[in-house]
Amino acid sequence: MPFDVILAGALGLSVLLFALAGGADFGAGLWSLLARRGERATEQQQLIERAIGPLWEANELWVVVSAVILWSAFAPAFAAYGTALFVPFVLAIAGVLLRGAFLAFRIEAQEEAPRAYVFFGEIFGSMSIITPFFLGTAAGAIASGRLRLNENELPVDGYFQPWIGPFPIIVGLLGVATCAYLSAIYLTIDAADEDPRLQEDFRVRGIIAGIVVGLLGVIAIPITRLDAPHMWEGLAPGRPASVLTTIAALFLGASLVLLFLRRYPLARAAAILQVVAVFCAWAVAQYPYLLVPDITIQDAASPEPVLIAMSILIVFYVVVLGPSFWFLFRLFKSRSSARGEER
C-alpha cells in the first residue's frame, strides 16, 4: 500500500480516536450545562468532573497527532484548511482552550466560591458545545464541495459561505449530538460505583441522545443529496460506504436496546462501533479527496522520503504513546473511582 494512503489512514484514525475520547468529554460538558436543576443536579455535575477532570488534556493529544500528520504529509491540504477554514477552526480551538480553563476554575471554586462555581460551569458547558459544532461544520465544508479555491489558493466564495450551509451545519449538529450520545453511555459506567439513580439519569439521557442522532441522520439524507453530491454518490446503494452506514444504523439501534435493558458495557461497545462505522463510511465516501473536489491524497502528498519518515514516526507513536495513554487512563480512572467511593 502506498505511503500516502497509509498516512491518510493514520490521519483518519487519529481524528476517530479524538472523537471517541475527547468527543465524549465535550458531550459531558453539555450534560453538565443541562444539569442545572433537579435533586441530583450537583451530583451529576460532580460525577462529570471526576470522570473527565484528570484526562481531558490527554485526549487532546489526538488533535496534535492529526495536525502533525496533515502538516508534514499533506502540506497543501493543511494550507487550504488553515486559510479557507480559519474561522471555524479558530472558534473550535478557542472552545478547547476556554473549556479546559473554566473546568479547572470550576473544580477549584467548588468549595470556596459557590457562585463562581456555577458561572464557570456554564462557560465550561457552553464551550463544550462550540468545539464539536465548528469542527463538524469544517468537516462538512471539506467534504461537500462547497469550498473551492482560486489560483492563489484562496476561497472563491469567501471565508464564511463554504461552512455556513445545509450540509456543514447538519454535520456540526450531528457532531454535538454524537458527543452527547457517547458521553451519556460512558457516564452510565462511571456512575456504577455511585448512586444508582445517577446511572439511571444518564441511561435516559443516552437513549434520548441516541434517538436525536438517529433523527439527525435521517434529516441529513436529503441534505447530503442536495448539498454534498460527491458524498451522496459515495454513499449510493451498492457502494462500500452504504454498507458501512447500514452497519452504523444497526449498532445505533443495538446500543439503544442495550441501554434500555441496562446492559451498559455492551451498550458502550455498540456505541463505539457505531461511531467507528460512521467514520469509516465517511472516509470511504470521500476517498480519494482531502478537499472535495480540488485536492486528492496523491496530489497533496509530500515527497516519498518525508512520507517514509512520517510512517516510522507513526509506528513510534503507536509503540510509545499507546501504552502510555492506556496506563494514564487506568491510573486516573481508578483514582477517580476511589474518590467517588470515599464520598
Side-chain angles (χ1 to χ4, degrees), residues 90-136:
V90 165
L91 292 172
I93 292 171
V96 170
L97 297 176
L98 292 174
R99 170 185 173 274
F102 280 94
L103 173 61
F105 297 159
R106 176 180 173 84
I107 293 173
E108 292 299 323
Q110 181 173 351
E111 301 294 336
E112 300 181 1
R115 291 186 179 179
Y117 177 78
V118 173
F119 173 72
F120 293 154
E122 292 179 350
I123 301 298
F124 159 66
S126 300
M127 294 302 104
S128 297
I129 299 172
I130 285 175
T131 296
F133 176 76
F134 284 111
L135 288 178

Side-chain angles (χ1 to χ4, degrees), residues 173-208:
L173 294 174
L174 273 167
V176 175
T178 300
C179 290
Y181 158 71
L182 283 175
S183 178
I185 295 177
Y186 290 1
L187 286 167
T188 60
I189 297 176
D190 287 322
D193 296 327
E194 304 199 23
D195 189 339
R197 295 175 299 175
L198 289 176
Q199 193 172 48
E200 188 68 16
D201 290 340
F202 287 107
R203 167 180 169 268
V204 173
R205 293 178 181 187
I207 293 173
I208 294 172

Side-chain angles (χ1 to χ4, degrees), residues 1-9 74 297-299 301 307:
M1 183 179 294
F3 285 106
D4 54 357
V5 176
I6 292 173
L7 288 170
F74 306 104
I297 294 172
Q298 292 74 22
D299 292 339
L307 299 180

Side-chain angles (χ1 to χ4, degrees), residues 178-264:
T178 300
C179 290
Y181 158 71
L182 283 175
S183 178
I185 295 177
Y186 290 1
L187 286 167
T188 60
I189 297 176
D190 287 322
D193 296 327
E194 304 199 23
D195 189 339
R197 295 175 299 175
L198 289 176
Q199 193 172 48
E200 188 68 16
D201 290 340
F202 287 107
R203 167 180 169 268
V204 173
R205 293 178 181 187
I207 293 173
I208 294 172
I211 292 173
V212 171
V213 169
L215 291 175
L216 288 174
V218 173
I219 294 171
I221 293 173
I223 292 176
T224 304
R225 182 175 184 178
L226 294 173
D227 202 39
H230 178 80
M231 289 294 291
W232 178 254
E233 182 180 349
L235 293 168
R239 298 292 184 90
S242 69
V243 176
L244 290 167
T245 56
T246 302
I247 292 173
L250 292 174
F251 276 121
L252 176 61
S255 69
L256 295 179
V257 171
L258 290 165
L259 273 180
F260 181 79
L261 297 175
R262 296 179 174 83
R263 303 296 297 273
Y264 299 117

Side-chain angles (χ1 to χ4, degrees), residues 17 56 60 93-94 99 127 130 144 153 165 225 250 286-287 331:
L17 290 172
W56 74 268
E60 312 302 336
I93 292 171
R99 170 185 173 274
M127 294 302 104
I130 285 175
S144 66
E153 298 186 353
R225 182 175 184 178
L250 292 174
Q286 185 174 320
Y287 183 83
L331 176 65

Side-chain angles (χ1 to χ4, degrees), residues 4-162:
D4 54 357
V5 176
I6 292 173
L7 288 170
L11 174 62
L13 180 60
S14 62
V15 174
L16 172 60
L17 290 172
F18 176 65
L20 292 173
D25 289 350
F26 293 119
L30 170 62
W31 294 127
S32 178
L33 181 65
L34 295 178
R36 296 183 177 184
R37 295 179 178 84
E39 59 178 324
R40 290 183 297 279
T42 301
E43 289 81 358
Q44 291 168 5
Q45 292 175 339
Q46 291 175 348
L47 171 65
I48 289 168
E49 291 163 13
R50 289 194 296 273
I52 71 175
L55 289 168
W56 74 268
E57 288 182 293
N59 290 332
E60 312 302 336
L61 164 72
W62 304 115
V63 177
V64 178
V65 173
S66 301
V68 169
I69 295 174
L70 188 63
W71 176 52
S72 302
F74 306 104
F78 181 86
Y81 297 169
T83 301
L85 297 173
F86 81 92
V87 175
F89 280 134
V90 165
L91 292 172
I93 292 171
V96 170
L97 297 176
L98 292 174
R99 170 185 173 274
F102 280 94
L103 173 61
F105 297 159
R106 176 180 173 84
I107 293 173
E108 292 299 323
Q110 181 173 351
E111 301 294 336
E112 300 181 1
R115 291 186 179 179
Y117 177 78
V118 173
F119 173 72
F120 293 154
E122 292 179 350
I123 301 298
F124 159 66
S126 300
M127 294 302 104
S128 297
I129 299 172
I130 285 175
T131 296
F133 176 76
F134 284 111
L135 288 178
T137 58
I142 290 167
S144 66
R146 297 173 59 88
L147 176 56
R148 302 304 303 273
L149 304 177
N150 60 25
E151 63 277 5
N152 297 319
E153 298 186 353
L154 296 175
V156 173
D157 296 317
Y159 295 98
F160 291 91
Q161 190 274 342

